[in-house]
């Protein structure tokens, strides 16, 4: 599994998504509840950026229609979204947040 640097941990604000692009793939990096997560940045219901939404209780909410996606699994837990979005493996090395675009789920 190949990991690439997405950003620095010090660049992440708690519960504030940060959009990055890795090899042409939009990814939202989120630090919440003591963990760092990487989730595909495009909502599966509408073509909008999840990183513009809010984070709460290990979920990210799409700002357009209110669908919430679990940061751990990518699964939606509210309508109108019914399809999950990819989540990606993350590892932390020093201040670097490294992400593999190989899908975890």
């Amino acid at each position: 599994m190949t990991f690439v640097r997405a950003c620095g941990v010090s660049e992440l604000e708690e519960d504030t998504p940060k959009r990055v692009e890795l090899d042409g793939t939009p990814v939202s990096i989120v630090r919440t509840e003591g963990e760092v997560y990487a989730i595909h940045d495009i909502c599966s219901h509408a073509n909008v950026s999840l990183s513009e939404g809010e984070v709460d209780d290990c979920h990210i909410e799409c700002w357009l229609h209110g669908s919430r996606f679990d940061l751990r699994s990518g699964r939606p837990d509210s309508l109108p979204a019914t399809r999950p979005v990819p989540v990606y493996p993350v590892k932390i090395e020093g201040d670097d947040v490294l992400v593999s675009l190989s899908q975890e789920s």
Side-chain angles (χ1 to χ4, degrees), residues 5-13 18 20 29 31 36 92-98:
R5 185 182 188 280
C7 63
V9 174
S10 60
E11 297 173 50
L12 299 173
E13 294 181 39
K18 178 176 182 64
V20 298
I29 309 294
R31 185 176 76 185
V36 176
I92 307 297
E93 291 184 357
D95 186 54
D96 292 333
V97 175
L98 305 173

Side-chain angles (χ1 to χ4, degrees), residues 15-56:
D15 296 330
T16 302
K18 178 176 182 64
R19 180 186 167 102
V20 298
E21 198 157 307
L22 304 174
D23 295 329
T25 301
V27 178
S28 183
I29 309 294
V30 179
R31 185 176 76 185
T32 187
E33 300 179 8
E35 298 290 331
V36 176
Y37 299 94
I39 189 167
H40 192 72
D41 192 47
I42 304 300
C43 178
S44 63
H45 169 257
N47 189 25
V48 297
S49 176
L50 291 176
S51 63
E52 295 178 33
E54 294 183 10
V55 174
D56 182 51

Side-chain angles (χ1 to χ4, degrees), residues 30-105:
V30 179
R31 185 176 76 185
T32 187
E33 300 179 8
E35 298 290 331
V36 176
Y37 299 94
I39 189 167
H40 192 72
D41 192 47
I42 304 300
C43 178
S44 63
H45 169 257
N47 189 25
V48 297
S49 176
L50 291 176
S51 63
E52 295 178 33
E54 294 183 10
V55 174
D56 182 51
D57 193 28
C58 215
H59 287 76
I60 190 166
E61 183 176 318
C62 178
W63 63 270
L64 187 59
H65 296 116
S67 291
R68 288 172 32 100
F69 296 88
D70 189 307
L71 291 168
R72 298 160 291 210
S73 68
R75 291 186 185 98
D77 69 357
S78 63
L79 295 173
T82 58
R83 291 178 293 124
V85 294
V87 295
Y88 306 104
V90 172
K91 49 183 200 181
I92 307 297
E93 291 184 357
D95 186 54
D96 292 333
V97 175
L98 305 173
V99 175
S100 175
L101 292 181
S102 300
Q103 293 182 18
E104 253 184 11
S105 61

